[in-house]
Structure formats: C-alpha cells, structure tokens
Amino acid sequence: MRSSRLVLPLVLFVFSALALGLVLFVVLGRPQGSGIGGPFTLTNQAGQKVTERVLESPGATLVFFGFTHCPDVCPTTLYEVTQLYQALGPKGDRLRTLFITVDPERDTPELLRDYISSFDPRIVGLTGSPEQTAAALKAYRGYARKVPLEGNNYTMDHTALVYLMDSKGRFIESFNLKRPPEQAAKELQNYL
Ligand code: NI
C-alpha cells in the first residue's frame, strides 16, 4: 500500500532530476557558443600587429585585461602568471598569455614593454587605438570604466577575469590563479 503510493512522487522526482540534469548539461557542457572571445587587431610591446589568430596554435592561451597604472590587481595577476610559467617548466612554452590594456591612452607599446619586462618574457602585452582595445574587450564580454582621481588623474575599473582559451581560440573557463602555482599548473597540463 504505502510503497505504491510513493511510486508517483518518486517517478516525478526522477524525471525532474533528469530534466534538470539535461538542462545543466546543455547549458554548461558546451565550451563553444559561450560567446566569449573573437576577432581583435592589436599591437604588441614590440610594435607588431597581433590578431586573434595567435590563439590558433597547439596548447592554450590565457587572456586578461588590465593597464600598467593598475595599483594591485594587474601586477598581482602578472606575478601569478609568472609563477605559473615557472611551475609549468618546459611545457610552459605551449602556453601563451595575452595582457590586453584597457587604457590605450597611456599604455603605448613602449610603456607596455618596460612594464611587462619585470614578468615572464612569454607574456605578451597588447595595446591599440581606443576602438581596437574596446573591440577586444567587447569580444571577451569584459568591461572597463574610467574613474577620475584628484589632479586630472584617473584609474580604470576593469574585468579581472583570466580567460583560458583552447588551441582554436574557444573559451574553456575562467582560470583560477588564486591557488598554489603547482596546482594551477597541474590543471593546465590537460590543455597543453
Ligand atoms: Ni588592473
């Protein structure tokens, strides 16, 4: 008696769980179609043109946005990426890192070159016209906003995500650098 009365709720529960599972599978289980990433045309710290094609190479790419006058988040991220390269060893040569400025007014290729020379030499700094950097930011669905400071100065509020992209330039995940570099390196090995 009692067990037969439980059948219907149980069947409903199982079907709901399956339906939810299917929805989650469809929504989360596709690295493509995330809409993150896309075309850009920028200039690296050596003054050379770089496009999204640079992502299309064996291995993977980390992409993040920032600016050289950033007081804390950007230098910390660049330092964490540098430690990650050290933890990766020779395999790190298959990891590209693009640091794209959100402050093209101040971040000339020369300034970027000086700034990133303190970090791993495999990190590429990218700038361009305000339209070009805005287009790159939009392709990665990021945001940046100018925040006025005293004395005609300003800082930038910006997306702090680190995007992990695959060898076809498709978004894999937002990469977590807030952990021991060995742990981050271990996860990255799967893509290199
Ligand atoms: Ni920053």
Side-chain angles (χ1 to χ4, degrees), residues 31 44 56 101 103 133 151:
N44 69 14
E56 295 166 22
T101 187
D103 186 14
T133 57

Side-chain angles (χ1 to χ4, degrees), residues 83-84 87 176-186:
Q83 286 188 310
L84 176 64
N176 174 20
L177 287 168
K178 304 293 170 202
R179 51 183 162 166
E182 294 73 25
Q183 213 178 311
K186 200 175 169 198

Side-chain angles (χ1 to χ4, degrees), residues 65-179:
F65 293 86
F67 65 115
T68 63
H69 289 70
C70 181
D72 41 38
V73 177
C74 296
T76 303
T77 305
L78 287 160
Y79 177 67
E80 287 162 347
V81 171
T82 299
Q83 286 188 310
L84 176 64
Y85 272 113
Q86 283 164 8
L88 280 169
K91 261 216 155 170
D93 288 343
R94 290 166 71 88
L95 177 68
R96 294 164 292 278
T97 300
L98 307 180
F99 172 61
I100 305 176
T101 187
V102 293
D103 186 14
E105 278 177 49
R106 291 186 293 196
D107 286 341
T108 60
E110 296 73 28
L111 187 57
L112 275 176
R113 188 181 59 214
D114 289 347
Y115 182 71
I116 63 171
S117 66
S118 315
F119 304 100
D120 191 281
R122 286 164 287 198
I123 300 171
V124 174
L126 295 172
T127 186
S129 68
E131 293 75 22
Q132 287 175 323
T133 57
L137 188 63
K138 197 176 171 205
Y140 283 81
R141 299 210 178 163
Y143 79 93
R145 192 171 59 93
K146 201 182 243 190
V147 182
L149 297 175
E150 274 177 51
N152 221 3
N153 206 350
Y154 67 91
T155 188
M156 301 294 295
D157 187 15
H158 67 89
T159 302
L161 289 178
V162 177
Y163 305 89
L164 175 60
M165 311 299 287
D166 73 8
S167 59
K168 299 269 195 297
R170 295 175 303 202
F171 176 69
I172 299 172
E173 64 176 12
S174 163
F175 194 69
N176 174 20
L177 287 168
K178 304 293 170 202
R179 51 183 162 166

